[in-house]
Amino acid sequence: MGRAGRRGVVQLDGRLPPPQAAIANSQQAGAHEHELVVSLSDFDIGKSKLRLDAFLAARLPAASRARLQASIKEGLVVVNGRPQPKASYGVRPGDVVACSVLPPPPLEAAPEALPLDIVYEDEHLIVINKAADMVMHPSPGHYSGTLVNALLHHCQLPAMQLRSDSAAPLSLEGAAAAAAAGRAGGSVGGGGSDDGSSEAQLKERSASPQAAGSAPPGAQHPAAAGGAEASQLSSTDVDDGEEDEEGGGFTLIPSAAGSGGGDATIRPGIVHRLDKGTTGLLVVAKTDAAHLSLAQQFKDRTVSRTYVAITLGVPRPPEGRVATNVGRDLRDRKKMAAFAYASARGRTAASNYKLLEVLAGGGAALVQWRLETGRTHQIRVHAKHIGHPLFADDTYSSLAAVGSIVGAGKPPRSAAAQAAARALGRPALHAKTLGFVHPATGQRLQFDSDLPPDLTAAAEALRAPQFVM
């Protein structure tokens, strides 16, 4: 099959080959898991070049780009019937790409003595005030320094390793059970032990004063659900492999090796997520029963959460509800975007905001957000959607926008605003409150947290006299 005519069209005898015939030709090199046809819609507007690895990353977003590049190097990718070993190879509209994806390597999580701000702890769960720049769990590119690493150390659990074809534990209890069974050095399995040894190990770490007296007499512990129920809670469709907080975010069963699905992850106890740069409250499950109960509460949208953010500009009206779909940005797969509510793209998302304080003479604002749903980057996407992206959010805004909006075109103000954004160095977002029903006692728990020092400093900088003159 040769290339002829104008660039961007693969021709056979002067005609564009039917996709079915081209796919059949590509299969001559061997069976592959994925057969994809490049189209004009795969190219960014105004760009005529598209790398092979970038094309695959966009079409197979659940597989990491590094794993796709390794698959190309290993000869598992065929373009128009010929193996293509170069990730930088430029694909064209009409090209047929057949590929298989290498299974991800085993992920490991070792206990690390990292500081944790524990707000509440008992034998069932832990509430943590997460610091900025802490990733939730190990993943490609983040193999240490995560919340899971800190939790393993806090609960005196050994290092864990997860193969791509193994089931991960739901909870910290499950991780302890795997260790007690002598499997912590190999693959780890889910569920707690029947003899209670793993739960006893966790109870040694649950002597927090906040936990004392929290369980009313006669409180009933829910029966631990089996694997079928866990799978049912975890099967909710998730946008392109990212984690939501309503069902899909609780999937701990990695896809089969080589399927091109999401890379396996070690995240025992993680019920919901905060972005790396977001500070504030989150709950971690120690037992499988607690995990399933909390997961159901997130799915049923009975967990209450409020966030505080600094926005560029002042939202109008001062209170409102934002309802859109949230899904992958069509131009940048690392970002999320807002789409028409209840449309075919993304999933429905609703946020409520309330103006708390006008900052920088109207160039910024302190805003409270209350979530009805839990989509990836939801507040950040909705803030941008209403024209007021978060302060210092380089993903959905820019430093130049800080200078022009907060600085109001005045060089001294622009410089001061940009300095405050650089000092913060992360999206101005904090998970301030968290409320849920305790899985064992049935008591409604409500937690509040102060704004962290860096966010407080940013707000104070935007209250400076130079911004109101």
Side-chain angles (χ1 to χ4, degrees):
M1 181 182 297
R3 297 184 188 271
R6 65 185 183 277
R7 174 173 173 80
V9 178
V10 178
Q11 294 186 334
L12 178 65
D13 296 331
R15 293 169 296 175
L16 188 68
Q20 296 86 348
I23 289 174
N25 291 337
S26 72
Q27 289 176 329
Q28 292 176 1
H32 293 85
E33 294 172 308
H34 307 280
E35 287 85 24
L36 309 168
V37 180
V38 182
S39 68
L40 286 172
S41 62
D42 293 309
F43 288 74
D44 290 338
I45 296 176
K47 293 185 178 180
S48 60
K49 296 183 179 180
L50 178 61
R51 289 170 53 111
L52 175 59
D53 58 345
F55 167 73
L56 290 175
R59 288 293 194 95
L60 303 173
S64 67
R65 188 156 178 172
R67 186 150 62 100
L68 291 170
Q69 290 172 339
S71 302
I72 295 170
K73 187 176 181 180
E74 290 296 321
L76 298 179
V77 178
V78 173
V79 180
N80 299 326
R82 296 181 179 179
Q84 178 50 251
K86 294 184 178 180
S88 61
Y89 175 82
V91 297
R92 301 178 179 184
D95 283 352
V96 177
V97 180
C99 72
S100 297
V101 182
L102 287 171
L107 275 180
E108 296 182 351
E112 297 179 30
L114 304 172
L116 283 178
D117 182 2
I118 296 177
V119 178
Y120 174 92
E121 180 175 13
D122 61 23
E123 64 267 34
H124 307 285
L125 56 87
I126 309 174
V127 176
I128 293 170
N129 188 19
K130 188 182 87 67
D133 296 325
M134 176 174 272
V135 176
M136 295 295 296
H137 54 74
S139 61
H142 300 284
Y143 297 101
S144 63
T146 74
L147 179 61
V148 164
N149 296 111
L151 288 169
L152 291 178
H153 178 270
H154 175 73
C155 294
Q156 298 180 340
L157 296 175
M160 301 169 61
Q161 185 183 82
L162 179 65
R163 296 196 313 261
S164 62
D165 58 350
S166 303
L170 284 176
S171 64
L172 295 169
E173 172 192 79
R183 289 175 283 143
S187 64
V188 296
S193 63
D194 294 332
D195 62 5
S197 60
S198 60
E199 196 164 344
Q201 186 174 355
L202 288 172
K203 286 181 179 179
E204 295 177 3
R205 302 294 301 172
S206 59
S208 93
Q210 297 96 323
S214 63
Q220 192 172 12
H221 192 292
E229 184 176 351
S231 299
Q232 185 177 9
L233 282 178
S234 302
S235 63
T236 303
D237 182 38
V238 184
D239 291 326
D240 298 322
E242 279 287 350
E243 290 185 298
D244 280 344
E245 297 172 350
E246 299 168 20
F250 316 116
T251 303
L252 297 182
I253 309 300
S255 57
S259 69
D263 290 350
T265 55
I266 299 176
R267 43 189 171 185
I270 302 301
V271 182
H272 62 127
R273 301 197 328 171
L274 295 178
D275 291 338
K276 176 184 176 181
T278 303
T279 55
L281 297 172
L282 59 89
V283 60
V284 174
K286 282 188 171 183
T287 68
D288 288 359
H291 191 283
L292 291 168
S293 172
L294 291 166
Q296 190 66 53
Q297 291 181 57
F298 274 99
K299 187 175 182 181
D300 293 341
R301 304 182 183 179
T302 59
V303 176
S304 62
R305 292 165 291 170
T306 61
Y307 293 69
V308 171
I310 298 176
T311 62
L312 298 184
V314 181
R316 299 295 182 193
E319 291 189 45
R321 182 175 185 267
V322 186
T324 71
N325 278 20
V326 170
R328 287 288 183 184
D329 190 299
L330 299 180
R331 297 185 179 183
D332 186 345
R333 303 293 292 178
K334 295 182 179 180
K335 296 168 58 175
M336 309 299 286
F339 300 96
Y341 187 77
S343 65
R345 293 192 180 278
R347 303 178 69 191
T348 57
S351 309
N352 299 271
Y353 71 85
K354 179 180 179 181
L355 176 63
L356 299 178
E357 181 185 355
V358 175
L359 300 172
L366 200 64
V367 180
Q368 179 189 86
W369 292 84
R370 180 174 58 82
L371 293 181
E372 295 181 25
T373 56
R375 307 302 181 208
T376 303
H377 295 183
Q378 179 173 319
I379 291 175
R380 298 164 68 186
V381 170
H382 276 174
K384 179 182 178 180
H385 180 68
I386 64 173
H388 299 284
L390 299 192
F391 183 78
D393 189 349
D394 291 339
T395 300
Y396 295 99
S397 185
S398 66
L399 196 62
V402 171
S404 62
I405 297 174
V406 183
K410 299 178 180 179
R413 288 179 54 164
S414 296
Q418 291 178 334
R422 290 192 190 95
L424 180 58
R426 66 178 181 88
L429 183 62
H430 175 71
K432 193 173 191 310
T433 71
L434 176 67
F436 55 88
V437 173
H438 193 286
T441 69
Q443 178 183 358
R444 182 78 186 182
L445 301 180
Q446 188 70 34
F447 302 95
D448 199 337
S449 62
D450 295 332
L451 295 185
D454 63 346
L455 196 55
T456 299
E460 284 298 322
L462 298 175
R463 295 186 184 106
Q466 62 183 311
F467 289 109
V468 296
M469 294 177 61

